Amino acid sequence: VLAILPDSGGVVSSKPRAGFGVSQVLNGGEGPHRHQQPFPGSTAHDAVLVLDPSPGENFGHPVVLFYVDVNVTKKRCSHLDGYYLDECLTLALKGRCQNQLKRRQAGPERLMGNGHSRLAGGALRGGTITTSGASRLVERAIGGLCEVHFLPLVVGVEDSNRTQRLRCVHAEFARCPQPLPMGSPSLPVSSCELNKNTRRCHQQPLATHLSCRLYQTCDHAVLISGWQQQMTFQRHVQNLQRFYRMLRNNGFHKDHIKTFFASSGQLPDIEGVYSATEKAVIRNHVSYVCRKQHCADTLVLYLNSPTRNDGTMLLWDANLNGIADLKERYSVNELLADLAGCRATRVLLFVDQSYSGVLSKRLRGSQKHLNVVLIQSQPPWAGLLNVTLAGAPCNATPPLTDGEMRREYQGCQNLPTALWHQK
């Protein structure tokens, strides 16, 4: 098997072993160019073991990934800097990292969390890993910019379909996360032909131009979540549903809440939900609402995707290759460009994902995002936050009635013609 990571441009690396390289396995010993190598120079292994210290957290967060090989002597395993437990476990690191030698010091408290584990790619034959053993492995393994932050796509070297072979095993530590409900197998977008017009293949167009009406300003929201079925769980659907209900309870009209989640095979039961397979559609919608004069009073973004350590969000893996291609990732630079000079009265970012500090730092130093607020524990935007989600004052005397809130602030308000035509 091979382990493919979304953020390393291909397979994760380990020290070479005495065994078959990918080219040998694919070519069957019949010449070096019989089949094209998907990952030149990579090495096939018997199994993959992933230990996840923090299964309750969103990805990315550090996980520890080992290649497992049988029929390797203890001496050979030691030479490979591996761990010998009847089989040989060698640490796999992320490829294309900034500094392969730089390692971050971290204590076992941060590394282990609650000591949870996931086991994958075939059972360890004849060996077991205890809680204390896993702790020692994790303590020795994690480090630096090359640490793995996502569950890999584990595929057989001869599997052209790239079927995920990683499976979660409920050890004595934590329960496996609840996977997404699947009505039918998810197919790459390229597999959706016109003669197979199922709900899974149907791509509902997003009519962004209908979002902004003449002589009217409204509250708008964009919700983004999902990368792969292996890293997108039922709790992510529940996050979206709760946030959607919260927006509706605060007067947001259903037509002005756009949710981008997973692919069309896993769409949750939410009004206005679209698959997160087209970055251009998401960016165009956010940009349109921001650029249109008087379109948005409050613009809310809820971000709940797996995230790289540079703050880049992963959108859905549309081609199912396990690698976050350019159109499958939404960078901090791109998000800031879409929100720069936004004409909404206020832009509220609810960032429920890892590495929000990157975005926070960029916003604090920007003069193009003075009306953009990142919701966190200690916001530096206290003045902008002294209103309700819909923009109503918090300290009105006497307090606003429910009718006044709905009429004057929540949902949409009509604007005078003179105001609309002002430059």
Side-chain angles (χ1 to χ4, degrees):
V1 294
L2 299 171
I4 304 170
L5 287 177
D7 59 338
S8 65
V11 292
V12 286
S13 61
S14 68
K15 287 192 175 184
R17 72 178 178 97
F20 289 109
V22 170
S23 57
Q24 293 172 277
V25 176
L26 291 179
N27 296 339
E30 298 181 26
H33 302 294
R34 182 171 177 229
H35 295 290
Q36 182 181 4
Q37 285 182 237
F39 303 107
S42 54
T43 305
H45 296 268
D46 293 319
V48 166
L49 169 68
V50 183
L51 302 176
D52 184 357
S54 312
E57 295 181 6
N58 290 327
F59 292 100
H61 62 260
V63 299
V64 188
L65 194 154
F66 294 98
Y67 283 122
V68 183
D69 294 295
V70 299
N71 299 326
V72 176
T73 65
K74 188 173 183 178
K75 182 177 180 181
R76 174 63 175 161
C77 187
S78 177
H79 177 71
L80 295 174
D81 197 23
Y83 309 93
Y84 189 76
L85 302 170
D86 292 336
E87 292 82 14
C88 184
L89 277 67
T90 51
L91 176 64
L93 297 174
K94 184 174 68 175
R96 296 186 183 180
C97 51
Q98 292 174 311
N99 187 345
Q100 293 276 359
L101 301 178
K102 184 176 180 180
R103 303 180 71 85
R104 182 167 68 229
Q105 295 297 321
E109 297 83 4
R110 186 187 75 83
L111 298 178
M112 281 309 297
N114 295 322
H116 312 290
S117 72
R118 293 189 178 121
L119 188 62
L124 291 175
R125 293 185 288 270
T128 59
I129 295 183
T130 63
T131 307
S132 59
S135 300
R136 289 194 296 272
L137 291 180
V138 174
E139 287 176 36
R140 291 177 57 188
I142 278 193
L145 299 170
C146 303
E147 65 190 12
V148 176
H149 286 171
F150 302 101
L151 296 181
L153 173 63
V154 179
V155 298
V157 292
E158 295 180 313
D159 182 8
S160 59
N161 294 325
R162 298 199 179 192
T163 303
Q164 173 65 280
R165 297 172 69 175
L166 191 71
R167 295 292 180 268
C168 176
V169 172
H170 176 197
E172 71 258 37
F173 310 120
R175 293 185 181 278
C176 292
Q178 188 177 1
L180 285 178
M182 292 288 291
S184 54
S186 179
L187 294 176
V189 173
S190 59
S191 299
C192 293
E193 303 294 341
L194 291 176
N195 61 352
K196 299 177 182 177
N197 190 17
T198 64
R199 177 173 173 80
R200 184 178 67 252
C201 292
H202 174 63
Q203 298 292 321
Q204 183 181 2
L206 174 59
T208 293
H209 64 280
L210 299 178
S211 298
C212 304
R213 296 180 178 178
L214 200 62
Y215 307 124
Q216 195 176 65
T217 185
C218 301
D219 297 326
H220 290 263
V222 177
L223 286 57
I224 305 175
S225 180
W227 159 244
Q228 277 179 333
Q229 189 186 2
Q230 195 71 22
M231 286 189 281
T232 307
F233 309 126
Q234 187 64 33
R235 60 183 168 90
H236 294 106
V237 176
Q238 294 167 352
N239 288 344
L240 292 175
Q241 291 171 332
R242 291 192 191 104
F243 202 88
Y244 178 87
R245 287 196 298 268
M246 184 274 292
L247 292 172
R248 296 287 284 125
N249 290 338
N250 279 271
F252 282 64
H253 194 277
K254 63 181 181 180
D255 291 341
H256 297 151
I257 304 174
K258 306 300 183 187
T259 301
F260 298 93
F261 176 77
S263 73
S264 52
Q266 301 90 20
L267 295 182
D269 186 18
I270 300 176
E271 292 272 0
V273 63
Y274 303 84
S275 57
T277 53
E278 295 295 332
K279 180 171 71 172
V281 174
I282 299 174
R283 294 194 63 187
N284 287 341
H285 180 70
V286 173
S287 296
Y288 181 85
V289 173
C290 261
R291 302 293 168 262
K292 196 76 172 176
Q293 182 72 21
H294 300 305
C295 177
D297 182 31
T298 296
L299 172 60
V300 169
L301 272 70
Y302 174 70
L303 311 179
N304 190 213
S305 291
T307 319
R308 302 195 316 187
N309 58 4
D310 63 356
T312 298
M313 292 180 285
L314 302 187
L315 304 177
W316 193 253
D317 185 16
N319 56 10
L320 305 181
N321 69 349
I323 302 171
D325 304 317
L326 185 60
K327 66 178 184 178
E328 296 171 350
R329 55 182 191 260
Y330 195 179
S331 70
V332 170
N333 282 342
E334 291 170 327
L335 177 62
L336 291 177
D338 296 338
L339 296 177
C342 186
R343 293 183 170 185
T345 306
R346 69 198 65 81
V347 181
L348 306 181
L349 298 181
F350 291 83
V351 183
D352 187 9
Q353 57 194 26
S354 302
Y355 304 108
S356 62
V358 178
L359 181 58
S360 176
K361 184 177 180 180
R362 293 285 301 276
L363 284 173
R364 279 198 295 265
S366 173
Q367 295 299 310
K368 297 180 180 180
H369 302 86
L370 299 179
N371 62 338
V372 180
V373 180
L374 178 64
I375 307 300
Q376 52 186 23
S377 57
Q378 292 181 331
W381 302 275
L384 278 169
L385 284 180
N386 195 27
V387 293
T388 68
L389 194 67
C394 293
N395 55 356
T397 304
L400 296 173
T401 66
D402 291 342
E404 289 173 325
M405 285 282 286
R406 286 192 298 269
R407 183 173 62 255
E408 298 179 22
Y409 294 98
Q410 293 184 348
C412 298
Q413 287 79 43
N414 294 326
L415 291 174
T417 305
L419 177 62
W420 186 267
H421 289 290
Q422 283 180 358
K423 288 188 179 181

